[in-house]
Amino acid sequence: MLNINLNILNVCTSTNDIAFNAALNGEVEGTSYLAHTQTEGRGRNQNKWTSSKGNLFLSTIIKPKSDKSLWHQLSVIVGFSIVQVLVDLGVNSNLIDLKWPNDVLVDKKKISGVLLESSDNFIIVGIGLNILKTPILETKWATTKLNDHLKGSINIKNIGLKILNKVFYNYYSWEKFGFVFFKEDINKKMFNINKNIIINVNSKSNLLNGVFLGIGDSGGIKVKTNSKITEYLSVENFTFV
């Protein structure tokens, strides 16, 4: 198993920035950064990620051997890893959902998000997890925190290490067996599976109404419209109705 080198930072712009620059300078896979506070935290699509002290902000370097066209699958793999860690910590499994492609929900409230940023030969895996505070997001999603669902003291560094170990365990399994190795278990935790969905593939396309069938073999969102089933690796946005 990889020897994870976890660096603890008091404050930084974002752990993804630090990890990205480190990877450009030749740092090895497994080099990781955990910050107590971020001044410029961000989420997917450049959405701001409020970085309150007491929550977890974590990034690590990975260098996949798999074809780059498959790297997008790691977003949901990492999200699933966080789900597994939350269950291991004692959060009620029945309350945990994975929202494609990169959010973890507890009791239908956002508790964690994943941000992947890549270069030619590496990916930075960024993870935010609400532990002691619930930031107000500029979205329709309510938020929750780990402290609401667990009893006893919570050590942020220990949780960071648990997440990193699970992420790398699943990452190596993904490299060896492919995404289909995880698909069935991921779909068991997928939020709103078999619900009606409206998707916008891109800004120039018409809205598509269908039924969300979960995640397909390639890690994309699988939707049934009329009698046709299509897997979309990326969409501009989607809503459940």
Side-chain angles (χ1 to χ4, degrees):
M1 197 66 175
L2 182 75
N3 182 25
I4 294 168
N5 176 23
L6 179 59
N7 300 276
I8 307 297
L9 308 173
N10 185 41
V11 62
C12 67
T13 54
S14 81
T15 54
N16 262 34
D17 288 344
I18 301 299
F20 200 97
N21 289 330
L24 288 175
N25 289 322
E27 281 290 355
V28 298
E29 184 173 82
T31 302
S32 308
Y33 300 89
L34 187 155
H36 294 300
T37 304
Q38 297 182 129
T39 58
E40 298 177 23
R42 62 186 181 276
R44 194 165 170 265
N45 297 326
Q46 295 301 312
N47 291 324
K48 184 176 181 180
W49 182 270
T50 303
S51 303
S52 304
K53 187 174 182 179
N55 292 340
L56 179 139
F57 316 107
L58 176 68
S59 297
T60 190
I61 300 169
I62 63 173
K63 298 185 177 183
K65 299 178 180 65
S66 302
D67 189 274
K68 198 168 185 178
S69 65
L70 303 176
W71 287 9
H72 69 94
Q73 297 172 351
L74 286 166
S75 181
V76 73
I77 295 288
V78 172
F80 182 61
S81 301
I82 297 167
V83 168
Q84 292 177 308
V85 169
L86 294 183
V87 172
D88 289 344
L89 288 171
V91 180
N92 186 342
S93 178
N94 294 326
L95 295 179
I96 306 175
D97 293 301
L98 181 59
K99 179 176 172 285
W100 185 86
N102 67 326
D103 289 340
V104 178
L105 311 178
V106 176
D107 200 17
K108 298 181 173 57
K109 299 174 183 177
K110 183 170 179 176
I111 197 169
S112 180
V114 176
L115 174 64
L116 301 188
E117 296 181 309
S118 65
S119 187
D120 289 338
N121 65 337
F122 65 83
I123 302 173
I124 303 304
V125 176
I127 296 167
L129 174 65
N130 301 331
I131 294 180
L132 299 180
K133 297 181 181 178
T134 50
I136 299 172
L137 302 180
E138 295 178 3
T139 69
K140 64 181 180 179
W141 290 100
T143 57
T144 188
K145 59 186 186 293
L146 191 58
N147 200 39
D148 290 337
H149 304 279
L150 293 180
K151 296 179 180 179
S153 61
I154 296 174
N155 185 296
I156 294 175
K157 179 181 176 181
N158 288 345
I159 291 175
L161 287 170
K162 286 179 184 293
I163 290 174
L164 287 171
N165 279 299
K166 185 65 72 174
V167 165
F168 276 97
Y169 181 85
N170 287 337
Y171 159 59
Y172 291 139
S173 296
W174 170 80
E175 288 254 88
K176 185 175 182 179
F177 302 113
F179 184 79
V180 291
F181 178 78
F182 295 92
K183 188 184 77 168
E184 182 178 346
D185 287 334
I186 286 175
N187 276 330
K188 289 177 182 177
K189 301 305 298 180
M190 189 55 54
F191 179 67
N192 275 355
I193 195 167
N194 296 321
K195 300 291 186 180
N196 291 327
I197 191 172
I198 299 174
I199 65 171
N200 183 5
V201 178
N202 59 65
S203 57
K204 297 180 180 178
S205 67
N206 294 323
L207 296 177
L208 299 176
N209 290 269
V211 177
F212 173 47
L213 300 181
I215 304 305
D217 290 347
S218 298
I221 189 171
K222 192 163 64 170
V223 178
K224 181 178 181 180
T225 53
N226 298 319
S227 59
K228 182 181 180 183
I229 296 175
T230 306
E231 182 178 354
Y232 300 94
L233 299 185
S234 65
V235 298
E236 187 155 311
N237 55 65
F238 62 92
T239 57
F240 292 102
V241 292

